[in-house]
Amino acid sequence: MSVVALSAFNSTPYLTLLFKKNFNLWKGRIDELLICLHSGNKEIDDCNETILKDDKIRIWKYEKFNELGRALDFIYPYAKGDVLMTIDSDNFIFNGRKLEEFINYIKDDKFDAVGSPGNSGGPASVVDFMGKKMGFVRLNSFMSFWNKKKIDSLGEMS
């Protein structure tokens, strides 16, 4: 089973330098990383592209997305893996071994998705109810793992 990760960058190259340094520690756990550069600033996007060059990274530039979700939607059609991972550009993984645990949850059909319950979507009591009663995960872009076939079976959605 192949693992493809999605990310989007609109940040300064300083964060990109640390992301790339840490990517070298965990890139052996994935097959490909797709990135949308969408700062709206050509100099920043060009610099980030130079920093991120790697055999396992494919990059798309887009003039400007004001929202991370739209940037991920833009590159999603290019994701051809079985396990989909999302990761924010300011999420720094210092040990790639932990990724294997989450990836295996999807590969072994233990879960269709693994992510953070998150508290920004509503009060903690709502998140607690959804997480414990419904098995809901926020599945934010900070870091989540998905069974891509399940997502694709849902039809048109963002």
Side-chain angles (χ1 to χ4, degrees), residues 6 10-11 18 22 26 29-30 40 51 56 77 79 89-90 96-97 105 108-109 115 130 138 144 146 155:
L6 302 180
N10 67 359
S11 61
L18 183 55
N22 288 317
W26 58 269
R29 284 10 187 238
I30 65 165
I51 293 166
K56 284 198 172 186
S89 59
D90 62 350
R97 289 184 308 229
Y105 285 147
D108 297 340
D109 287 324
M130 292 182 348
R138 182 169 165 233
S144 62
W146 308 66

Side-chain angles (χ1 to χ4, degrees), residues 7-11 16 19 35-39 45 48 52 89:
S7 191
F9 287 67
N10 67 359
S11 61
T16 306
F19 182 95
I35 294 177
C36 179
L37 301 175
H38 66 102
S39 75
D45 287 345
N48 280 340
L52 292 165
S89 59

Side-chain angles (χ1 to χ4, degrees), residues 9-13 16 36-50 59-66:
F9 287 67
N10 67 359
S11 61
T12 70
T16 306
C36 179
L37 301 175
H38 66 102
S39 75
N41 181 312
K42 183 177 175 1
E43 286 181 326
I44 288 174
D45 287 345
D46 289 348
C47 187
N48 280 340
E49 181 178 32
T50 299
I59 296 173
W60 288 263
K61 291 183 189 175
Y62 188 82
E63 183 178 314
K64 175 90 172 138
F65 283 124
N66 292 327

